Amino acid sequence: MNSHNYNTIKCMRTIKRYFLCIMLVFFIACQSDDDSPPPPPQDSINGFWLVADKGYILEFTDGKDVAYNINSIGCSVLEGDFTSEDFLGVEFNLVGPDELVGSSELLIADIKLTRLPNQNEFCLPGQISETEDPKVNFDHFWHIFNDYYAFFELRDVDWAQYHSLREQVTSENFYDIIEDLLLLFEDGHVGIYDEANGIGIGSESQSLLERLNSNLSGEYVISDGDSYSRAYDQKIEMIIKYLGGDFEIDQSENIAWGTITDDIGYVNIFGMAGYGSGINDELATLNTVLDKMMNDLKNSEVSKLVLDIRFNGGGLDVVAVDIASRFMDQQRIAFSKKARLGDGFTELTTISVEPKGDFQFTGDIVLLTSPLTASAAEIFTLCLKDAPYVTIAGENTNGGFSDILSHILPNGAELSLSNEVYSDAQGVVYEAIGVGPAEENRAPLFSNEDFMEEKDSGIDRAVKLLSN
């Protein structure tokens, strides 16, 4: 087994970790008693509810609340008990006796749930899987992917051929075999985390390192979390020099802004989540920050802008759309999404972005992207890329768009995977390849030349584009 240090994986993988936390606490339900209760009234939320494309069953009662995740062969508990605060502002509304809708300002689209007349046969008392047995856990692992993963063909993974590995699995080699399979996907939203045993395996860890190191050699090569941190810190120091050491940054340190020249402004968006102190003030705090930033840009009288999301590993789609709205000249279709459902997909949900705030910057913009630009940051790229005044420079984005689907194995390990397909306004899917610049506008995030000459070739390219 490759020596993937848990903290290194957390540092190097750029996924919607914030949204993963949301998924874990959002889809929560209730435990049934040993005795089958009478069916709840049809005007009550109490009962069993299915989120089919996620493989989640929620049972609402007046007592303990539990969420289950199911696959073709079994059921595990996703989340035990919860309080109302765990719903992240989600409100559930009955839209029919058998239809429930969950909505929140933190979710880009509503969640649709269907009432079940009875609990799933795999989730009955005594049937729920809770075991360290490696073969049982492998069965769940394989079937969770088989049931819900959306990109087998795109990622060139013939999943069926690996089912027979079950016979080789032991307690000693379980995570070795799991790692070998996960690395096949090279998907930043695929991984497994077993906190109790200090296991953290990211599917994309090796391929991402290869991309980051493609213009590095010798002492500059990134090999672990420490060397990445050094490269990151040096890059930030270079950026600060371009700003003359004078810049603003919000309290959460998610957005920094300043000017490169009298005519060219600079905004670096480091994350698409974590602006507020909690779930109740996330968007309010974000938009207060955006109001100040946009007011500063307006007062600076810059007419051109470098918009840097090269270090942005994602967060919440709704945050990405809100930020993008400050750079919109008109309403535009930003993206569409659908989730795998059985042998097909759910219906397409289309999201538009429109101008918001008292001032929108719609002068010439260069959007800087990199392999670390992932998830919700890629959604931000989809929002902006079709505006005629936006030019992309840097490198292709990460190529991992899907919200993370989280399932829990019987041994308690947390499995994450991609089960949603995002497409741009023209229907193009950028999964695995990412959104990238024209060839003449390519500039690596990290390079020996940049480090040795203490420069940022991405910013240099952006300034040249904006100066023409």
Side-chain angles (χ1 to χ4, degrees), residues 244-286:
D246 185 16
F247 60 94
E248 297 285 335
I249 190 165
D250 77 304
Q251 187 172 0
S252 68
E253 300 186 351
N254 270 311
I255 298 185
W257 63 94
T259 58
I260 296 174
T261 69
D262 289 343
D263 196 37
I264 299 176
Y266 176 86
V267 173
N268 198 316
I269 307 168
F270 291 97
M272 297 299 182
Y275 289 86
S277 59
I279 61 173
N280 295 322
D281 66 346
E282 175 74 7
L283 294 189
T285 304
L286 166 69

Side-chain angles (χ1 to χ4, degrees), residues 156-176:
D156 195 27
V157 177
D158 180 7
W159 194 238
Q161 69 174 305
Y162 300 109
H163 187 246
S164 60
L165 289 176
R166 177 190 194 276
E167 303 310 314
Q168 302 176 28
V169 172
T170 66
S171 298
E172 289 72 27
N173 68 14
F174 176 74
Y175 281 115
D176 295 311

Side-chain angles (χ1 to χ4, degrees), residues 216-241:
L216 296 174
S217 61
E219 63 182 295
Y220 299 110
V221 169
I222 297 170
S223 58
D224 54 24
D226 289 339
S227 54
Y228 172 79
S229 294
R230 287 194 299 271
Y232 175 91
D233 290 343
Q234 290 179 55
K235 198 72 176 180
I236 297 302
E237 289 174 5
M238 294 176 199
I239 292 171
I240 291 173
K241 288 181 180 179

Side-chain angles (χ1 to χ4, degrees), residues 182-222:
L182 293 181
L183 290 176
L184 295 172
F185 293 97
E186 297 186 356
D187 182 339
H189 286 155
V190 167
I192 192 167
Y193 306 89
D194 184 344
E195 186 173 1
N197 292 301
I199 298 293
I201 301 170
S203 167
E204 190 199 28
S205 54
Q206 293 301 318
S207 56
L208 178 58
L209 277 175
E210 290 173 5
R211 291 181 67 182
L212 295 178
N213 282 320
S214 59
N215 290 278
L216 296 174
S217 61
E219 63 182 295
Y220 299 110
V221 169
I222 297 170

Side-chain angles (χ1 to χ4, degrees), residues 21-306:
C21 295
I22 288 175
M23 296 291 282
L24 283 173
V25 297
F26 172 73
F27 295 107
I28 30 191
C30 307
Q31 177 102 19
S32 62
D33 296 327
D34 289 344
D35 297 325
S36 298
Q42 293 302 290
D43 60 352
S44 168
I45 193 176
N46 285 359
F48 302 105
W49 296 89
L50 175 67
V51 187
D53 57 308
K54 309 302 178 191
Y56 294 160
I57 291 178
L58 290 69
E59 180 194 0
F60 292 102
T61 71
D62 296 326
K64 184 180 179 183
D65 297 328
V66 178
Y68 307 90
N69 47 229
I70 59 171
N71 59 74
S72 297
I73 63 156
C75 168
S76 297
V77 174
L78 176 67
E79 185 72 21
D81 209 352
F82 78 94
T83 62
S84 59
E85 291 80 23
D86 293 325
F87 280 111
L88 299 173
V90 172
E91 294 184 357
F92 289 98
N93 292 293
L94 283 166
V95 295
D98 298 322
E99 295 180 55
L100 187 68
V101 170
S103 58
S104 166
E105 69 173 10
L106 294 181
L107 296 177
I108 201 70
D110 291 342
I111 305 299
K112 298 179 181 179
L113 304 93
T114 304
R115 188 189 292 273
L116 299 175
N118 299 291
Q119 176 61 293
N120 181 279
E121 62 177 324
F122 294 133
C123 295
L124 296 173
Q127 298 299 113
I128 299 171
S129 299
E130 186 177 355
T131 177
E132 297 287 338
D133 187 304
K135 286 183 168 52
V136 173
N137 279 278
F138 183 87
D139 286 341
H140 280 251
F141 166 81
W142 189 90
H143 281 281
I144 288 167
F145 270 89
N146 197 57
D147 292 349
Y148 303 112
Y149 189 70
F151 300 112
F152 287 119
E153 183 175 353
L154 183 65
R155 299 281 182 177
D156 195 27
V157 177
D158 180 7
W159 194 238
Q161 69 174 305
Y162 300 109
H163 187 246
S164 60
L165 289 176
R166 177 190 194 276
E167 303 310 314
Q168 302 176 28
V169 172
T170 66
S171 298
E172 289 72 27
N173 68 14
F174 176 74
Y175 281 115
D176 295 311
I177 291 176
I178 294 298
E179 179 176 37
D180 289 343
L181 293 178
L182 293 181
L183 290 176
L184 295 172
F185 293 97
E186 297 186 356
D187 182 339
H189 286 155
V190 167
I192 192 167
Y193 306 89
D194 184 344
E195 186 173 1
N197 292 301
I199 298 293
I201 301 170
S203 167
E204 190 199 28
S205 54
Q206 293 301 318
S207 56
L208 178 58
L209 277 175
E210 290 173 5
R211 291 181 67 182
L212 295 178
N213 282 320
S214 59
N215 290 278
L216 296 174
S217 61
E219 63 182 295
Y220 299 110
V221 169
I222 297 170
S223 58
D224 54 24
D226 289 339
S227 54
Y228 172 79
S229 294
R230 287 194 299 271
Y232 175 91
D233 290 343
Q234 290 179 55
K235 198 72 176 180
I236 297 302
E237 289 174 5
M238 294 176 199
I239 292 171
I240 291 173
K241 288 181 180 179
Y242 279 83
L243 301 178
D246 185 16
F247 60 94
E248 297 285 335
I249 190 165
D250 77 304
Q251 187 172 0
S252 68
E253 300 186 351
N254 270 311
I255 298 185
W257 63 94
T259 58
I260 296 174
T261 69
D262 289 343
D263 196 37
I264 299 176
Y266 176 86
V267 173
N268 198 316
I269 307 168
F270 291 97
M272 297 299 182
Y275 289 86
S277 59
I279 61 173
N280 295 322
D281 66 346
E282 175 74 7
L283 294 189
T285 304
L286 166 69
N287 282 285
T288 297
V289 171
L290 293 177
D291 287 343
K292 174 173 172 48
M293 180 184 75
M294 299 308 295
N295 188 58
D296 287 352
L297 287 176
K298 181 179 180 181
N299 291 337
S300 72
E301 298 184 347
V302 295
S303 62
K304 303 170 184 179
L305 185 67
V306 177

